[in-house]
């Protein structure tokens, strides 16, 4: 029999992964690599961080649905059984594909759909919507998308996330705030300077700690 999914276990595994990523980046920084090689190494670490975070969110949503299907029934106007297997819950969370979401706002929307969201004060929604994690999540998602696609759209989204982080605002920067700012040439080029990747990892670890504390099991 496989291990029963657990929010606490998922948070613990996430932090084990981020520690391995920190160790990897320490090796990269000490390896005497070229500037280009370091940039790409940081982007590889970014991808791994994003995958780990997606797994954390997916596991927690499966646990939430498995524990209480009523919020999802209310959100979809379809009555689901009170008790469903984890495999069925996983299918409902992922749509039979892979877990994906559109930005921090989209993630909160998905969490709300499966947990009842803000009104229900579910621990996962409360943790992810906490303003102190806002910039780390926006940067993680925007930088990852630019590293993966390098499209004009993803570059502009990354630029907005970086400017909002620099200004310390949670709203989307307006034209005046964006004037005179340029997006970095690569996601890894921005992440490898001034401890920026460390900032994102620190915030994500703190979020995982909050999830661990709030999860019932």
């Amino acid at each position: 029999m496989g291990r029963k999914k657990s929010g606490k276990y998922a948070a613990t595994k996430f932090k084990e992964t981020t520690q391995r990523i920190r160790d990897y980046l320490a090796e990269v920084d000490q390896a005497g690599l070229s500037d280009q090689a370091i940039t790409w190494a940081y982007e590889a670490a970014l991808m791994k961080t994003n995958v780990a975070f997606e797994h954390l969110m997916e596991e927690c949503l499966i646990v939430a649905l498995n524990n209480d299907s009523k919020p999802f029934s209310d959100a979809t106007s379809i009555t689901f059984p009170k008790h469903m297997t984890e495999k069925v819950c996983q299918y409902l969370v992922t749509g039979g594909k892979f877990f994906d979401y559109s930005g921090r706002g989209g993630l909160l929307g998905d969490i709300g759909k499966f947990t009842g969201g803000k009104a229900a004060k579910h621990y996962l929604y409360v943790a992810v919507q906490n303003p102190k994690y806002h910039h780390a999540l926006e940067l993680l998602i925007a930088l990852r998308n630019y590293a993966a696609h390098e499209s004009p759209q993803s570059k502009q989204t990354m630029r907005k996330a970086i400017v909002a982080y620099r200004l310390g605002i949670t709203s989307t920067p307006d034209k005046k705030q964006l004037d005179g700012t340029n997006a970095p040439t690569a996601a890894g080029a921005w992440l490898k300077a001034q401890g920026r990747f460390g900032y994102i990892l620190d915030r994500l670890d703190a979020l995982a700690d909050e999830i661990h504390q709030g999860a019932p099991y």
Side-chain angles (χ1 to χ4, degrees):
M1 182 179 292
R3 174 190 60 80
K4 181 176 175 63
K5 293 188 183 300
S6 153
K8 290 186 182 297
Y9 180 81
T12 297
K13 294 300 291 183
F14 175 79
K15 289 191 67 177
E16 290 176 358
T17 300
T18 57
Q19 184 55 57
R20 290 198 296 272
I21 290 168
R22 291 177 193 273
D23 294 342
Y24 164 72
L25 290 175
E27 288 186 38
V28 167
D29 290 338
Q30 297 168 13
L33 302 175
S34 68
D35 190 59
Q36 178 67 80
I38 295 172
T39 293
W40 283 1
Y42 268 71
E43 291 185 356
L46 173 66
M47 296 296 183
K48 287 295 185 182
T49 302
N50 187 74
V51 169
F53 183 72
E54 287 178 350
H55 287 169
L56 171 61
M57 294 295 103
E58 180 182 339
E59 291 257 320
C60 288
L61 288 177
I62 292 169
V63 171
L65 182 57
N66 184 250
N67 188 54
D68 182 8
S69 63
K70 188 177 184 306
F72 189 56
S73 293
D74 292 343
T76 59
S77 299
I78 301 171
T79 301
F80 290 91
K82 184 175 182 180
H83 299 291
M84 295 184 286
T85 66
E86 288 182 352
K87 186 167 288 188
V88 169
C89 291
Q90 182 174 29
Y91 180 85
L92 291 172
V93 168
T94 64
K97 299 176 183 178
F98 57 90
F99 182 64
D100 192 22
Y101 49 88
S102 179
R104 176 179 175 273
L107 175 60
L108 285 170
D110 286 344
I111 294 173
K113 181 171 65 175
F114 290 103
T115 68
K118 186 176 181 179
K121 297 182 179 179
H122 190 276
Y123 80 89
L124 183 61
Y125 189 92
V126 170
V128 175
Q129 67 82 41
N130 192 323
K132 67 184 178 183
Y133 309 126
H134 177 96
H135 291 299
L137 293 177
E138 291 281 358
L139 289 169
L140 171 69
I141 297 166
L143 289 160
R144 177 268 170 197
N145 286 343
Y146 184 60
H149 304 295
E150 296 185 353
S151 66
Q153 294 84 357
S154 62
K155 186 173 186 177
Q156 179 67 358
T157 300
M158 176 181 67
R159 179 185 173 215
K160 290 177 181 178
I162 290 172
V163 170
Y165 164 69
R166 287 174 179 167
L167 296 176
I169 59 175
T170 56
S171 58
T172 302
D174 57 30
K175 185 178 183 303
K176 183 177 180 181
Q177 292 168 322
L178 289 170
D179 281 348
T181 66
N182 296 313
T185 55
W190 188 83
L191 283 167
K192 68 186 180 184
Q194 300 177 21
R196 290 164 178 158
F197 207 141
Y199 161 81
I200 293 174
L201 291 175
D202 288 346
R203 285 293 192 274
L204 294 179
D205 280 349
L207 173 56
D209 286 338
E210 191 166 332
I211 289 171
H212 190 281
Q213 183 176 0
Y217 57 88

